[in-house]
Amino acid sequence: MSEHHHHDHGTEQVSDKVLLWTTFVNIGLSVFEFIAGAIAGSVALMADALHNTNDAAALLIAYIARKVSRKGADEKFTFGYRRAELIGAMIQLTALILVGLYLVYEAIRRFFSPEPLEGGWIMAAAGVALFVDVVTAWLLWSMSKGSMNVKAAFLHNLTDAGASVAVLVGGATIYFWGWNWVDPILTLLIAGYILYMSLGMLRTTCRILMEGAPPDLSMEQVQATMMDVPGVEGIHHLHVWELDEHHQALEAHVVVKRSQADHDHELNIRRALKQRLQERHSIQHCTLELEYPGDPCGSSTNNLIEHE
């Protein structure tokens, strides 16, 4: 199920090093922006620093996940270690939402109690941040072609560059025209973006951990696909869930016609079901229990479908 990890052995270790170095670079940038924000008195700069801290954490999680995922399944974790990344993401996103709410509070407070700002420091720090964001995006660009996870990090880094441009422009307005009110407005915009992205990712993470069905999958279409296989008379106890964001699994009880109850027909039905589910719905892992009409079933027969 993880064949996409093996198509580029020559660059695998290089990719790991790139992820690790971009993590260190973003951590360094965050520390620098925190210090510069404190000196300049800019909440927007601190908000951008927190945003970069989140990026560094995301890159570190991606790096650790690549290492952990290579362990594969064992006796204690028979499904493998894929969801370690989800647990890390849950912790990270929860903390980020709290940070976003604090930034909203701090921005509103600055409207009523403005503080002096150093526009020159804000411009300098935002310029450094923009440079680092562009370099990080460049480093991730070649890796993004073979990994959806890294592609998401690459696109996220481009949006960071946009936030740095906004802070840079805000610093210029403060430096040249003394518009200190721009800083809390930028803070609200960055905090709003952080909350919007975090809440959306948190919903996705919770759905996977709760073994919810993939959002773009129609259970009715899945049932129809299975019922179209010759010899299938009914489906019940149908469950579809995500092992992680890239792998889907299905289990079901399949009622087959007793007239076709020999071993070869069972193998053909099972093979046809798995092939169609893979081709039409990208479900890679299927566990199918074949039954015959009238056989006792250990669970209630909810979701039973019969031919008209």
Side-chain angles (χ1 to χ4, degrees):
M1 291 191 295
S2 56
E3 63 275 9
H4 61 283
H5 292 298
H6 305 288
H7 70 283
D8 193 8
H9 291 286
T11 62
E12 192 174 33
Q13 294 303 319
V14 176
S15 298
D16 285 348
K17 291 179 181 179
V18 169
L19 279 177
L20 197 57
W21 275 109
T22 53
T23 300
F24 290 146
V25 169
N26 276 272
I27 290 174
L29 173 61
S30 299
V31 172
F32 171 74
E33 282 192 306
F34 270 121
I35 295 173
I39 295 173
S42 172
V43 186
L45 203 54
M46 292 183 179
D48 198 39
L50 290 169
H51 196 189
N52 277 298
T53 302
N54 172 57
D55 292 345
L59 289 167
L60 183 60
I61 288 172
Y63 172 79
I64 294 173
R66 285 165 66 91
K67 292 290 188 182
V68 172
S69 64
R70 296 187 183 116
K71 293 176 64 177
D74 56 29
E75 291 183 0
K76 293 184 177 180
F77 297 93
T78 56
F79 276 106
Y81 292 81
R82 294 190 187 98
R83 290 192 174 181
E85 185 177 7
L86 295 173
I87 295 172
M90 177 75 74
I91 297 171
Q92 174 194 341
L93 292 169
T94 302
L96 197 60
I97 289 171
L98 294 176
V99 167
L101 292 174
Y102 170 75
L103 291 175
V104 171
Y105 161 78
E106 189 66 21
I108 294 174
R109 188 184 69 81
R110 288 293 182 97
F111 275 117
F112 295 100
S113 301
E115 299 178 9
L117 301 172
E118 297 289 340
W121 265 100
I122 297 174
M123 285 192 295
V128 172
L130 178 61
F131 173 77
V132 172
D133 288 335
V134 171
V135 171
T136 302
W138 177 72
L139 289 172
L140 293 174
W141 179 72
S142 60
M143 292 175 60
S144 67
K145 298 177 181 179
S147 168
M148 287 299 295
N149 186 37
V150 179
K151 184 177 182 180
F154 165 71
L155 295 175
H156 197 180
N157 219 265
L158 290 183
T159 64
D160 293 345
S164 296
V165 170
V167 176
L168 181 62
V169 173
T173 62
I174 293 169
Y175 183 80
F176 291 108
W177 295 290
W179 293 353
N180 288 1
W181 51 266
V182 172
D183 189 74
I185 287 179
L186 287 174
T187 303
L188 286 175
L189 291 175
I190 295 173
Y193 173 76
I194 290 173
L195 290 172
Y196 172 76
M197 294 296 293
S198 299
L199 289 170
M201 293 174 66
L202 188 62
R203 283 194 296 269
T204 300
T205 304
C206 288
R207 189 191 68 249
I208 296 175
L209 290 175
M210 290 293 293
E211 298 186 341
D216 56 347
L217 189 71
S218 168
M219 295 296 288
E220 292 183 356
Q221 291 180 3
V222 171
Q223 292 172 339
T225 296
M226 297 177 72
M227 291 298 297
D228 282 342
V229 174
V232 174
E233 198 168 83
I235 306 290
H236 57 274
H237 302 310
L238 175 61
H239 305 283
V240 183
W241 70 98
E242 294 177 286
L243 296 174
D244 56 30
E245 59 182 323
H246 302 297
H247 299 88
Q248 301 174 357
L250 174 148
E251 67 175 17
H253 290 201
V254 181
V255 181
V256 298
K257 295 180 179 178
R258 189 171 293 276
S259 59
Q260 297 180 347
D262 61 85
H263 183 66
D264 289 339
H265 278 296
E266 288 184 5
L267 289 177
N268 291 334
I269 290 173
R270 185 178 283 108
R271 188 179 298 113
L273 285 168
K274 291 185 176 183
Q275 181 178 352
R276 294 193 187 191
L277 289 169
Q278 167 72 33
E279 293 174 351
R280 299 184 186 181
H281 305 289
S282 300
I283 298 175
Q284 303 95 332
H285 180 79
C286 298
T287 303
L288 304 172
E289 181 174 339
L290 301 188
E291 301 174 353
Y292 308 120
D295 281 356
C297 183
S299 306
S300 60
T301 55
N302 62 311
N303 230 7
L304 179 62
I305 301 177
E306 304 288 353
H307 282 304
E308 296 293 337

